[in-house]
Amino acid sequence: MHSQLVVSLSGIGPQTLDRCADLAAALDPRKVPLSLLVVPRELGVAQEWVRQRAALGDAIVLHGLGQRRLPAYEAGLLLTGARVQMEAIGLNADTFAPRRCVASPGTLIALAKHRFNRCADAHAVRDLGTGLATIGRLHALTERSSFGELRSLALVYATARSARRGGLTRITVDARDLHRPGARQAVLDAVDIALAHDAAPTTYVRLPSPRHEAAA
């Protein structure tokens, strides 16, 4: 079974805009769209770039609410505020990705109540309507304080293993990491090796809904 490849980008804002645009430009010839993890209050002048990328086929994903014990009522208030901010800048999202890659049970309840379709956490992409999940662990360049060749190789090897197995392969990139030597190339190498294993590029929005339950 061939793998599906999702590449997500967070940390989008005025200070990282050039790096975001550079990565997107490198992925365009590879026909790999981005899932843009957006925090509306942090976008600033980057909001126009996000709108342009959405028009080209990138997916908009609301990003935030990383507290592990956030109750449903409080999560609902925060989601309402974030949606108002999104609408004010002409953006819309029905897919959510939590900060620190963990969504509290209360957040999941609030997301479903506020008619979000999906939640992409550290281990899976969850259909909030059915409760089913497409399993796929995130592969990332972690620990911004210490990036090096071994970390680059770890990302590439982990991506290759995932793509060979089939299913869902997920690479996540924090734009704040892309200033470090070798980080951009490591991401592109990971994408290329996934494509070499016939992974089909997609986004969190276009990813087919799971048809059977899988334990995450």
Side-chain angles (χ1 to χ4, degrees):
M1 179 177 62
H2 292 318
S3 179
Q4 293 175 303
L5 172 65
V6 173
V7 182
S8 60
L9 177 66
S10 64
I12 304 167
Q15 295 181 335
T16 62
L17 180 55
D18 288 347
R19 299 173 215 158
C20 294
D22 177 69
L23 180 65
L27 292 176
D28 283 345
R30 295 167 166 85
K31 302 187 185 304
V32 176
L34 281 165
S35 292
L36 303 174
L37 275 52
V38 168
V39 181
R41 68 178 182 275
E42 296 178 2
L43 283 181
V45 297
Q47 63 186 255
E48 179 57 33
W49 179 79
V50 170
R51 282 193 290 268
Q52 292 172 358
R53 292 301 309 179
L56 293 172
D58 288 354
I60 306 297
V61 178
L62 183 63
H63 193 42
L65 310 187
Q67 301 93 322
R68 288 176 180 268
R69 298 182 180 179
L70 191 65
Y73 175 73
E74 186 176 346
L77 292 176
L78 293 172
L79 286 170
T80 297
R83 269 200 158 151
V84 169
Q85 293 172 347
M86 292 281 278
E87 291 171 0
I89 59 177
L91 297 175
N92 185 46
D94 57 14
T95 299
F96 178 81
R99 285 188 187 270
R100 302 182 186 92
C101 304
V102 176
S104 71
T107 297
L108 293 175
I109 292 170
L111 287 168
K113 183 177 180 180
H114 285 260
R115 299 181 181 178
F116 280 81
N117 293 332
R118 293 177 177 179
C119 178
D121 65 22
H123 306 290
V125 181
R126 304 179 189 281
D127 186 309
L128 296 167
T130 65
L132 304 182
T134 300
I135 302 302
R137 179 175 172 270
L138 280 173
H139 302 296
L141 293 169
T142 56
E143 300 179 17
R144 284 193 295 276
S145 61
S146 58
F147 177 80
E149 184 178 355
L150 288 179
R151 200 166 304 281
S152 170
L153 292 174
L155 174 65
V156 175
Y157 289 156
T159 302
R161 287 196 301 271
S162 177
R164 281 197 302 267
R165 286 196 302 265
L168 179 59
T169 296
R170 302 163 66 200
I171 300 171
T172 187
V173 186
D174 189 326
R176 292 167 292 186
D177 287 332
L178 291 174
H179 75 287
R180 296 189 176 276
R184 173 184 179 275
Q185 190 59 50
V187 172
L188 295 179
D189 288 346
V191 168
D192 286 341
I193 201 163
L195 295 176
H197 285 92
D198 295 325
T202 187
T203 66
Y204 285 136
V205 173
R206 297 202 297 267
L207 188 69
S209 296
R211 296 183 180 179
H212 55 83
E213 188 168 6

